[in-house]
């Protein structure tokens, strides 16, 4: 579904990604794990068209995307939920969600998408008129994921969805991610909670210093001594 071949990207003269190659199959959950500064967010931003791809190819559903603008990539069904939520705090929950259906492909399904989002996150229906900036951290993350779903993604990229949330909310978040996947949406997950992300992943990659250094199934990496020591503290 998504293929990267020898992808590199730069911040000025600094090479942030170095010849990254990976594949995500349709209806998979794939995880990218790595320490802070490893290049995980840069990777997602490069796939999304936010950061230019300086080398290599990015192919989604058979179509080349490495030179496409970000809004065109969203229209293809490749949607990012950014780290830190990046909501519009002085707009209502409903207005934030509606902005997710900005592209023409998803706008025609706006009402159906809203019903689906409220099905995943019933609290948001009760708070739909509330300003997004007044919500709790967990509720704001629900809005961020809901806004991504409003774009009718074929592949949903989640950047640190559990960041700053309580353990109970994190558990609920991972259950929701599994429900979204069960509805046929492929997931690319960047997550500090390495154990939980690998437990639900079909495919996983370890990124260090902008390069993929390990890959395999989620179970394979959970059993890998290097992953255990570096990321699980075992």
């Amino acid at each position: 579904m998504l293929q990267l071949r020898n992808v590199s990207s730069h911040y000025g003269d600094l090479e942030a990604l170095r010849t990254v190659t990976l594949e995500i199959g349709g209806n998979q959950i794939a995880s990218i794990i790595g320490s802070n500064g490893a290049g995980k967010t840069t990777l997602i931003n490069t796939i999304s068209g936010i950061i230019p791809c300086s080398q290599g190819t990015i192919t989604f559903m058979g179509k080349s995307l490495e030179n496409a603008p970000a809004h065109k990539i969203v229209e293809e069904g490749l949607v990012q939920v950014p780290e830190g939520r990046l909501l519009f705090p002085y707009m209502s929950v409903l207005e934030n969600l509606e902005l997710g259906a900005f592209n023409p492909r998803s706008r025609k399904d706006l009402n159906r998408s809203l019903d689906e989002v409220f099905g995943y996150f019933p609290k948001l229906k009760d708070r739909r008129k509330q300003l997004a900036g007044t919500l709790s951290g967990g509720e704001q993350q629900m809005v961020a994921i809901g806004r991504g779903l409003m774009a009718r993604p074929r592949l949903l990229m989640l950047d640190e969805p559990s960041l700053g949330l309580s353990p109970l909310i994190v558990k609920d978040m991972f259950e929701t991610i599994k429900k979204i996947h069960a509805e046929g949406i492929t997931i690319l997950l960047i997550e500090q909670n390495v154990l939980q992300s690998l437990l639900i992943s079909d495919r996983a990659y370890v990124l260090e210093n902008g390069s993929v250094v390990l890959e395999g199934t989620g179970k394979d990496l959970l059993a890998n001594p290097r992953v255990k020591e570096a990321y699980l503290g075992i």
Side-chain angles (χ1 to χ4, degrees), residues 48 50 82 167 180 198 200 205 223:
S48 296
I50 297 169
I180 293 169
L198 291 181
I200 67 171
Y205 296 85

Side-chain angles (χ1 to χ4, degrees), residues 27-217:
N27 205 30
Q28 284 190 336
I29 297 179
S31 284
I32 310 291
I33 65 173
S35 59
N36 289 336
K40 303 185 301 297
T41 295
T42 300
L43 175 62
I44 279 192
N45 285 340
T46 302
I47 295 170
S48 296
I50 297 169
I51 297 173
C53 174
S54 53
Q55 175 186 308
T57 60
I58 301 172
T59 307
F60 180 64
M61 306 286 287
K63 183 178 288 190
S64 175
L65 293 184
E66 62 269 9
N67 295 312
H71 68 281
K72 291 294 185 183
I73 292 173
V74 172
E75 287 181 16
E76 293 295 329
L78 188 51
V79 177
Q80 177 184 165
V81 176
E83 180 182 359
R85 301 147 197 163
L86 302 185
L87 302 180
F88 297 93
Y90 298 109
M91 296 174 68
S92 70
V93 167
L94 182 59
E95 288 168 332
N96 271 272
L97 293 175
E98 288 175 338
L99 280 174
F102 181 81
N103 72 81
R105 184 178 64 84
S106 58
R107 194 178 302 134
K108 63 184 185 336
D109 292 320
L110 188 147
N111 290 330
R112 178 160 67 100
S113 298
L114 274 176
D115 288 341
E116 291 173 359
V117 169
F118 291 149
Y120 290 123
F121 304 113
K123 279 187 179 181
L124 297 186
K125 187 170 186 179
D126 297 332
R127 289 164 171 73
R128 62 189 181 276
K129 296 182 180 179
Q130 189 171 332
L131 295 182
T134 66
L135 300 175
S136 69
E139 290 165 348
Q140 288 188 23
Q141 189 62 62
M142 294 175 195
V143 177
I145 294 176
R147 183 178 59 186
L149 292 171
M150 292 294 293
R152 309 299 295 178
R154 297 181 174 100
L155 192 157
L156 185 66
M157 299 187 291
L158 301 170
D159 193 355
E160 301 286 7
S162 77
L163 186 66
L165 304 183
S166 70
L168 184 60
I169 300 297
V170 169
K171 181 181 177 183
D172 291 342
M173 191 66 65
F174 275 96
E175 288 300 317
T176 301
I177 290 169
K178 288 192 288 185
K179 289 177 183 176
I180 293 169
H181 172 251
E183 292 298 321
I185 298 175
T186 302
I187 304 287
L188 175 57
L189 180 62
I190 287 179
E191 178 52 61
Q192 61 179 350
N193 192 323
V194 172
L195 176 60
Q196 288 298 324
S197 60
L198 291 181
L199 282 172
I200 67 171
S201 291
D202 304 292
R203 193 78 188 157
Y205 296 85
V206 178
L207 202 63
E208 292 182 0
N209 298 316
S211 299
V212 173
V213 296
L214 285 173
E215 62 179 278
T217 66

